[in-house]
Amino acid sequence: MADQPDQQALDEVVEFTSDLIRIDTTNRGGGDCQERPAAEYAAARLAEAGLQPTLLERTKGRTNVVARIEGTDPSADALLLHGHLDVVPAEARDWSVHPFSGEIRDGVVWGRGAVDMKNMDAMILAVVRDWARSGVRPRRDIVIAFTADEEASAEDGSGFLAEEHPGLFEGCTEGVSESGAFTFHDGSGRQLYPIAAGERGTAWLKLTARGRAGHGSKVNRDNAVTRLAAAITRIGEHDWPLRLTPTVRAALTELAALYGIETDLADVDALLDKLGPAAALVEATVRNSANPTMLDAGYKINVIPGEAVAHVDGRYLPGAEGEFRATLDRLTGPDVEWEFHHREVALQAPVDSATYARMRAAVEEFAPEGHVVPYCMSGGTDAKQFSRLGITGYGFAPLKLPEGFDYQALFHGVDERVPVEALHFGVRVLDRFLRTA
Ligand SMILES: [Zn+2]
């Protein structure tokens, strides 16, 4: 039994990434997406490896794939390994290479989904096929899920699976998916590998101010536009207090140690200043946030409308939702109502777990020059939906990126691309982690 993926696995991860990019699964929201061809492609690759994938749809064409690999230890908890099949839109005219070409040029695979997250889907496929060839069986059961609709509401994807097919995930206690274990270059030669162990919650808000409609030339103390503008200003200018979750506390402590900075968690803003570029890994997750993003009121310049509406993109930390709500009540005041337009839970995963330690060890083995640190995602993933099944989610889709490849900028960005070498690293690290998990 080989202890590392074979050449075929290294070739296949590149081929599968490119093939999946060529299958256009653009998700424009509102149900405008077809994942089915990508799901059939993934299911066929799993079937070739002797697995029995199930295709599941809530809506025609919005296809999810689930398969289970039986582990050698039936008493062990199962591990969920999931990747979404849809991608965000891409405007071909802005790109150097057509975003759905999957072109491989100078050792780099180009296209929408190259880092988010057809790369990881391809890595999962390459690893399990390698195992089938070489007879590797993991200790734990591994449930593989390729999902639809992650880039919109997840209603046709992980939300649907968690709600209507919980039996497929029986025994799963932990999940692993996107947005972690990529190389973060700090600008001074250090390479960090952040592993996600938490996500902020989503609180997209609708604010409605009401007042007395009337002529724009008259005295009016009940102007809905004025009331809304005042509330929006208070929200936009609010200084949210520091709230350190266990993951962010661990991240700050480890980063401070790495950079030889005295850790003073009582003055986190000063600590962030001293961290330089690495502060980007934590600065969006030390507080709740609420950014006004949309305004809508009025229809004629000399008519005061009776109602004015705004939308706010709010995010709250694990354990801080109550405080978020109370703060919004206070900031909006008695004349403006607010409600959730869309709400998703915040997640917290332990960084002292055996699984976290195994992910860290797998990265350190293949990137000994790297420094693994935990972090909390500022946004969200399918892990939010799977958390309803009691599954703790980590972000671990390993990629070794050379300097100049800014993962965060490529994510949903123009000229999204991934080096072939990065995919090879990903397959090796994912294989090592899954074998030891
Ligand atoms: Zn993604």
Side-chain angles (χ1 to χ4, degrees):
M1 197 188 295
D3 72 341
Q4 274 200 37
D6 62 15
Q7 186 59 44
Q8 188 177 337
L10 302 183
D11 293 342
E12 283 189 350
V13 71
V14 178
E15 176 193 334
F16 296 166
T17 301
S18 173
D19 285 352
L20 285 166
I21 289 170
R22 276 203 298 278
I23 303 171
D24 183 349
T25 51
T26 299
N27 190 345
R28 292 186 176 79
D32 182 4
C33 181
Q34 289 287 298
E35 289 91 351
R36 179 133 200 135
E40 286 175 346
Y41 178 92
R45 302 291 83 75
L46 294 174
E48 285 164 3
L51 300 179
Q52 290 167 326
T54 310
L55 273 65
L56 304 120
E57 291 180 346
R58 189 187 77 138
T59 305
K60 196 171 180 313
R62 310 300 309 276
T63 316
N64 302 271
V65 183
V66 180
R68 183 180 285 253
I69 300 175
E70 257 184 61
T72 54
D73 178 0
S75 70
D77 294 331
L79 177 75
L80 170 64
L81 190 56
H82 58 104
H84 60 82
L85 295 168
D86 59 330
V87 294
V88 293
E91 285 292 345
R93 63 171 177 274
D94 301 333
W95 285 55
S96 318
V97 166
H98 194 283
F100 299 101
S101 67
E103 190 176 324
I104 303 166
R105 186 194 284 183
D106 303 327
V108 175
V109 186
W110 292 69
R112 180 57 87 222
V115 299
D116 181 19
M117 62 175 296
K118 287 175 168 172
N119 58 321
M120 174 70 162
D121 297 337
M123 280 154 48
I124 294 168
L125 292 172
V127 167
V128 304
R129 289 162 63 88
D130 180 73
W131 288 1
R133 285 192 299 279
S134 57
V136 172
R137 269 181 76 196
R139 184 179 66 87
R140 307 165 76 169
D141 273 19
I142 295 180
V143 175
I144 295 166
F146 294 117
T147 60
D149 206 23
E150 195 272 347
E151 297 290 3
S153 68
E155 279 172 25
D156 282 314
S158 53
F160 155 70
L161 293 176
E163 209 156 293
E164 296 188 31
H165 297 280
L168 292 171
F169 305 94
E170 208 183 308
C172 290
T173 53
E174 294 172 308
V176 164
S177 191
E178 63 184 312
S179 299
F182 53 88
T183 321
F184 178 97
H185 294 272
D186 77 346
S188 62
R190 276 200 189 81
Q191 298 178 21
L192 307 177
Y193 284 85
I195 292 176
E199 300 183 2
R200 291 202 301 177
T202 309
W204 291 345
L205 314 176
K206 180 185 179 191
L207 272 60
T208 307
R210 293 197 175 79
R212 186 163 50 80
H215 199 289
S217 69
K218 302 288 197 243
V219 175
N220 188 328
R221 298 281 169 217
D222 305 318
N223 185 322
V225 175
T226 309
R227 286 174 172 169
L228 182 77
I232 279 294
T233 303
R234 287 192 294 271
I235 292 168
E237 291 181 345
H238 183 62
D239 286 322
W240 292 87
L242 275 171
R243 291 290 175 257
L244 295 186
T245 64
T247 296
V248 175
R249 190 175 285 274
L252 287 167
T253 306
E254 291 189 28
L255 285 168
L258 179 62
Y259 286 86
I261 302 165
E262 201 179 319
T263 316
D264 184 1
L265 295 182
D267 191 356
V268 168
D269 289 316
L271 176 55
L272 288 174
D273 269 350
K274 290 181 197 153
L275 284 175
L281 293 172
V282 271
E283 64 191 1
T285 55
V286 295
R287 347 179 115 79
N288 292 335
S289 65
N291 283 310
T293 48
M294 292 164 73
L295 287 171
D296 185 20
Y299 53 91
K300 194 164 187 298
I301 196 165
N302 60 352
V303 179
I304 298 167
E307 190 179 286
V309 170
H311 286 83
V312 172
D313 183 345
R315 310 286 173 142
Y316 60 91
L317 287 159
E321 187 182 3
E323 180 189 9
F324 181 88
R325 287 171 185 254
T327 305
L328 256 294
D329 283 343
R330 185 163 56 75
L331 293 174
T332 48
D335 299 324
V336 178
E337 288 170 17
W338 72 269
E339 63 189 307
F340 286 113
H341 171 76
H342 182 73
R343 177 185 166 274
E344 297 281 1
V345 293
L347 303 180
Q348 171 69 43
V351 298
D352 55 0
S353 67
T355 297
Y356 182 86
R358 285 168 184 140
M359 289 189 287
R360 165 178 229 142
V363 171
E364 285 171 347
E365 181 178 342
F366 293 96
E369 70 290 1
H371 305 276
V372 175
V373 291
Y375 87 115
C376 175
M377 287 187 223
S378 59
T381 71
D382 274 342
K384 290 192 184 317
Q385 309 302 325
F386 289 121
S387 76
R388 292 194 243 162
L389 302 175
I391 298 172
T392 302
Y394 290 101
F396 182 78
L399 283 182
K400 184 176 169 61
L401 298 168
E403 197 131 29
F405 272 79
D406 179 351
Y407 179 85
Q408 310 280 12
L410 294 173
F411 214 84
H412 296 196
V414 169
D415 283 345
E416 185 177 344
R417 61 198 187 278
V418 66
V420 166
E421 283 301 321
L423 295 171
H424 290 174
F425 171 85
V427 164
R428 291 188 177 111
V429 174
L430 187 64
D431 167 78
R432 181 54 42 97
F433 161 63
L434 293 174
R435 284 188 197 211
T436 54

